[in-house]
Amino acid sequence: MGQYTASQRKNVRILLVGDAGVGKTSLILSLVSEEYPEEVPPRAEEITIPANVTPEQVPTNIVDFSSVEQTDDALAAEINKAHVVCIVYAVDDDDSLDRITTHWLPLVRNTCSSNNSTNGNANASSTKPIVLVGNKIDLIEYSTIDSVLAIMEDYPEIESCVECSAKTLHNISEMFYYAQKAVLHPTTPLYIMEEQDLTPACKKSLVRIFKICDIDSDNLLNDYELNLFQRRCFNTPLQPQILDEVKSVIQKNVPDGIYNDAVTLKGFLFLHCLFIQRGRNETTWAVLRRFGYNDQLEMCQEYLRPPLKIPPGSSTELSHRGQQFLIALFERYDRDGDGALSPEEHKMLFSTCPAAPWSYSTDIRKSCPTNEAGWVTLHGWLCRWTLMTLVDVVKTLEYLAYLGFNVHENDSQLVAIHVTRERRIDLAKRQSSRSVYKCHVIGPKGSGKTGLCRGFLIDDMSKLLGKEFKTNVVHCINSVQVYGQEKHLILRDIDVRHALDPLQPQEVNCDVACLVYDASNPRSFEYVARIYIKYFAESKIPVMIVGTKCDLDERRQDYLMQPSEFCEKYKLLPPHLFSLKSNKKELYTKLATMAAFPRFQAAWILFYKHRYLRQFGLMTDDHTVWLKAGLGVAAATVLGFIVLKAITGTHLR
């Protein structure tokens, strides 16, 4: 991937203004014809210089202004359209020099302010980049630069100044180069002239860049890290001699800028300050743009959110490259090597981001696996990113950019995302190619669905017995093995307070549904039955009905049918009885298996429609019924047999 140019303009528009007779028009004509014009019209026509003949490879429009031919309104319009304004004065005319501060600079400021107010953009800059141009240097033997530098101190919008001669062509090309540079590599966002220091926004951006490049997180950039930085920003290695010279300059000016022969953050900031002071703004801008910054030193939306096409029915997962980057990031910040991120380590990891993408104290501990101290483990870390990638892939793209994926991987963060094939293809093939599945856990209040979800995250579910869940965390994620393959299962706790509350489409659509009732509460199953009939009976979504709290006395349900009869009628697997006390976790594997092989439930329904079960004597006990039914439906596929074994109670090994 080439160098990212976050704010590369399509063109640069340069406007020349100044008093009559200072030589504005002559400068333009001399640039175009490369010779001094003997006859000069009142105003030159607008010209366009092609990109291939400009130093910055950007098409450039040069616009002349004449007070003889144009009105004040026309001037205001041109100032507002221009990207940069060149104020031309004659070096042999003190009045034209004085008019820079008494007329032209205030005029540009007032015009820009009025335009912003009219357009309702009060936060926009109140001026344009300015280049001061002293023409007719061939007529004098002294310089006016000292006078101009004094003006620059009072007007931060002045990017640069140059003396030239339209007659001798001296510095003509340089003048227009400085004008281009004022637009493409402006000084004002980077540097405060009166303080001789970087702006706070520039420092903040460079600190983030330093942290990203500090691979071993020792707060130093060693030779290896500096070389990687050089290659990533400028596509060229840093020669050892040049590197030694750079360190020598830093050491001479900032004693604590070098430590153990490596560059400190203070030295890194000084280096960029020095670039700007020496007129090498383009170097610092090249670094900033490579790391995604625009002219306002904000992260570009195009950089944070590259367009990602997701067909209907497809989902998003982390690719292998995405996982490897996140593993390396975790290991880099796991300073003590204990296999978990402490709150401080977690905070440091996301110090290159505006904020962490989730709350460590609540979200992490209740949505993914952690250690005994509640610190996220590497497994839990990958689980949490997997969850975010499925439910909010745009946020994943943003945070990968903040964390430096684009730079470390030298590619767009899109390569960190895998877009799965459409669900309809999975249904046609009777198995899913996905590795992440979403299960919606739905049930009445008090049915134990939240405990079922939280139990997925810990080894000993019995620790949750009697626990009151005050914090509502919507998703829980962990991994399970489905026939030797690791799959991630996301349990979404659907919070429905009343039986008559309608479910929204996004609360229904999932890879597998888990309908939960309290087996010890006689009024609990009716809610589940109504939900199934209303939302799932005619869908192709696999459904598992789960009776919780089976360690208590199982009560007869106050409904037309008992749960087992209901499941038999609607061709569902028998109710799965679940208890936190038993600490048996086969339910989660069953759910993942049903999601991985979504069409088998539909096949069972088709088989039942032929009414052959009783005829062939298959109605013996629950497990045998479903196993034989599955064999009849799968008729020719060993896979079908294996899948049915898994989801009818046989443990996976």
Side-chain angles (χ1 to χ4, degrees):
M1 180 179 135
Q3 182 177 321
Y4 182 83
T5 50
S7 62
Q8 187 65 61
R9 291 181 178 270
K10 294 181 180 179
N11 73 308
V12 172
R13 188 175 181 85
I14 303 172
L15 172 65
L16 273 67
V17 300
D19 292 346
V22 295
K24 304 184 299 295
T25 306
S26 297
L27 288 171
I28 297 173
L29 297 179
S30 294
L31 175 73
V32 175
S33 63
E34 296 185 348
E35 62 180 8
Y36 181 68
E38 295 299 332
E39 295 185 7
V40 181
R43 174 173 169 265
E45 295 295 325
E46 180 177 330
I47 65 169
T48 300
I49 302 176
N52 60 352
V53 297
T54 65
E56 296 291 342
Q57 300 293 299
V58 179
T60 302
N61 302 95
I62 302 176
V63 181
D64 192 10
F65 173 76
S66 170
S67 58
V68 175
E69 294 189 354
Q70 294 171 282
T71 65
D72 290 345
D73 288 343
L75 174 59
E78 289 295 352
I79 290 174
N80 288 324
K81 286 194 294 183
H83 298 135
V84 58
V85 178
C86 292
I87 300 177
V88 184
Y89 67 96
V91 294
D92 64 337
D93 182 355
D94 290 342
D95 289 340
S96 69
L97 180 58
D98 292 339
R99 291 254 299 168
I100 292 175
T101 54
T102 61
H103 177 71
W104 291 109
L105 285 169
L107 174 66
V108 174
R109 278 189 174 182
N110 292 336
T111 301
C112 293
S113 297
S114 299
N115 182 60
N116 292 335
S117 299
T118 301
N119 295 331
N121 193 7
N123 294 324
S125 174
S126 61
T127 187
K128 300 271 184 182
I130 303 289
V131 176
L132 299 183
V133 180
N135 190 24
K136 305 185 182 182
I137 192 66
D138 57 292
L139 298 179
I140 62 173
E141 295 182 357
Y142 57 88
S143 174
T144 61
I145 289 298
D146 287 342
S147 299
V148 171
L149 290 176
I151 297 173
M152 291 180 69
E153 291 180 2
D154 295 329
Y155 291 86
E157 63 264 37
I158 300 175
E159 289 283 329
S160 58
C161 59
V162 59
E163 292 182 330
C164 59
S165 170
K167 189 170 186 177
T168 65
L169 308 185
H170 178 68
N171 277 351
I172 297 296
S173 296
E174 286 79 359
M175 167 207 155
F176 288 101
Y177 168 69
Y178 287 137
Q180 268 195 336
K181 186 176 174 181
V183 177
L184 301 176
H185 313 300
T187 303
T188 304
L190 307 181
Y191 193 73
I192 304 172
M193 190 71 67
E194 53 268 28
E195 296 180 12
Q196 298 286 293
D197 197 7
L198 300 172
T199 62
C202 183
K203 285 183 181 178
K204 182 179 178 182
S205 303
L206 291 173
V207 167
R208 171 180 169 266
I209 292 169
F210 181 92
K211 289 180 178 180
I212 289 173
C213 295
D214 180 16
I215 298 173
D216 56 10
S217 299
D218 63 352
N219 297 317
L220 299 168
L221 294 184
N222 57 37
D223 289 0
Y224 174 75
E225 292 165 338
L226 286 169
N227 258 299
L228 279 181
F229 168 78
Q230 175 76 10
R231 286 181 178 276
R232 287 161 180 163
C233 293
F234 305 104
N235 296 319
T236 181
L238 196 59
Q239 298 301 323
Q241 181 181 350
I242 302 295
L243 182 56
D244 289 340
E245 291 175 359
V246 168
K247 290 180 183 178
S248 177
V249 170
I250 295 174
Q251 183 75 61
K252 183 178 179 181
N253 290 274
V254 187
D256 52 353
I258 301 293
Y259 180 78
N260 286 345
D261 200 36
V263 177
T264 66
L265 174 59
K266 195 170 183 178
F268 184 73
L269 294 176
F270 164 77
L271 197 58
H272 284 280
C273 195
L274 187 63
F275 287 146
I276 297 166
Q277 290 172 348
R278 293 183 177 180
R280 294 283 306 279
N281 302 16
E282 63 273 16
T283 302
T284 298
W285 275 115
V287 172
L288 290 166
R289 286 169 180 156
R290 180 65 180 89
F291 283 79
Y293 290 95
N294 61 18
D295 286 355
Q296 290 73 44
L297 294 184
E298 298 170 344
M299 298 287 285
C300 285
Q301 290 304 305
E302 298 86 352
Y303 188 86
L304 293 174
R305 303 180 178 186
L308 177 65
K309 185 177 181 181
I310 307 173
S314 295
S315 62
T316 46
E317 303 174 358
L318 288 171
S319 69
H320 177 70
R321 284 182 68 178
Q323 291 177 6
Q324 291 303 113
F325 172 78
L326 292 170
I327 290 171
L329 194 67
F330 180 96
E331 293 174 344
R332 172 177 161 187
Y333 283 92
D334 180 17
R335 302 284 181 86
D336 53 11
D338 64 349
L341 293 179
S342 68
E344 184 60 29
E345 289 169 340
H346 184 269
K347 181 180 178 180
M348 287 299 298
L349 189 153
F350 285 111
S351 64
T352 61
C353 309
W358 45 68
S359 167
Y360 194 88
S361 60
T362 56
D363 185 292
I364 280 288
R365 299 183 182 192
K366 296 170 183 176
S367 66
C368 64
T370 62
N371 64 11
E372 289 294 326
W375 298 355
V376 65
T377 61
L378 176 58
H379 173 61
W381 169 255
L382 290 175
C383 281
R384 191 59 187 82
W385 277 92
T386 297
L387 168 59
M388 186 164 73
T389 303
L390 184 76
V391 302
D392 192 354
V393 69
V394 172
K395 193 171 183 179
T396 294
L397 292 172
E398 287 183 5
Y399 273 85
L400 286 173
Y402 287 134
L403 293 166
F405 179 92
N406 310 52
V407 180
H408 285 299
E409 297 294 318
N410 205 33
D411 214 333
S412 163
Q413 65 268 47
L414 290 175
V415 301
I417 306 300
H418 169 63
V419 179
T420 67
R421 70 187 183 191
E422 297 175 47
R423 182 175 172 80
R424 61 181 178 83
I425 300 176
D426 288 344
L427 290 171
K429 292 182 176 291
R430 298 191 178 187
Q431 70 179 81
S432 173
S433 61
R434 304 180 184 192
S435 63
V436 185
Y437 302 112
K438 187 160 57 175
C439 170
H440 287 184
V441 182
I442 307 170
K445 185 177 179 60
S447 62
K449 56 186 175 63
T450 302
L452 184 152
C453 292
R454 300 282 178 87
F456 189 32
L457 306 179
I458 62 177
D459 293 331
D460 185 2
M461 295 191 298
S462 63
K463 292 181 179 180
L464 298 176
L465 284 170
K467 185 176 179 64
E468 184 179 352
F469 302 108
K470 296 180 180 179
T471 306
N472 182 28
V473 175
V474 176
H475 297 97
C476 296
I477 180 171
N478 205 341
S479 63
V480 295
Q481 291 289 318
V482 177
Y483 299 107
Q485 292 185 333
E486 184 181 60
K487 304 290 185 181
H488 283 91
L489 183 66
I490 297 172
L491 303 180
R492 180 182 176 186
D493 189 344
I494 304 295
D495 188 21
V496 182
R497 297 185 178 278
H498 305 288
L500 297 179
D501 288 350
L503 294 179
Q504 300 302 313
Q506 64 269 24
E507 295 176 320
V508 175
N509 295 328
C510 56
D511 297 304
V512 59
C514 178
L515 305 186
V516 180
Y517 72 98
D518 178 357
S520 66
N521 182 349
R523 296 189 175 184
S524 184
F525 180 71
E526 181 179 3
Y527 175 92
V528 166
R530 291 179 181 276
I531 288 291
Y532 176 81
I533 294 170
K534 185 174 181 179
Y535 296 103
F536 295 100
E538 301 298 325
S539 78
K540 295 180 180 179
I541 298 172
V543 175
M544 171 77 76
I545 290 182
V546 176
T548 61
K549 307 180 185 180
C550 66
D551 53 302
L552 304 177
D553 291 337
E554 185 174 357
R555 301 288 297 276
R556 182 176 179 81
Q557 295 295 311
D558 296 340
Y559 185 63
L560 300 173
M561 291 171 280
Q562 293 306 296
S564 57
E565 297 170 336
F566 182 89
C567 291
E568 181 180 337
K569 176 180 178 179
Y570 288 99
K571 321 304 182 290
L572 300 173
L573 290 173
H576 181 100
L577 298 181
F578 176 84
S579 169
L580 292 173
K581 190 174 183 179
S582 69
N583 204 36
K584 294 180 179 179
K585 294 200 168 191
E586 66 270 16
L587 168 64
Y588 306 115
T589 303
K590 288 184 179 182
L591 291 169
T593 306
M594 292 175 72
F597 301 95
R599 275 297 294 271
F600 281 98
Q601 177 162 293
W604 303 328
I605 295 172
L606 179 64
F607 186 89
Y608 266 90
K609 285 183 178 178
H610 289 81
R611 300 179 181 275
Y612 289 144
L613 288 175
R614 295 188 182 279
Q615 180 178 342
F616 288 102
L618 298 179
M619 295 297 291
T620 53
D621 61 66
D622 283 342
H623 282 205
T624 307
V625 167
W626 290 101
L627 182 56
K628 291 184 178 180
L631 285 170
V633 173
T637 67
V638 175
L639 180 61
F641 174 72
I642 298 173
V643 172
L644 285 173
K645 281 180 66 180
I647 59 181
T648 53
T650 305
H651 288 218
L652 294 177
R653 301 289 181 186

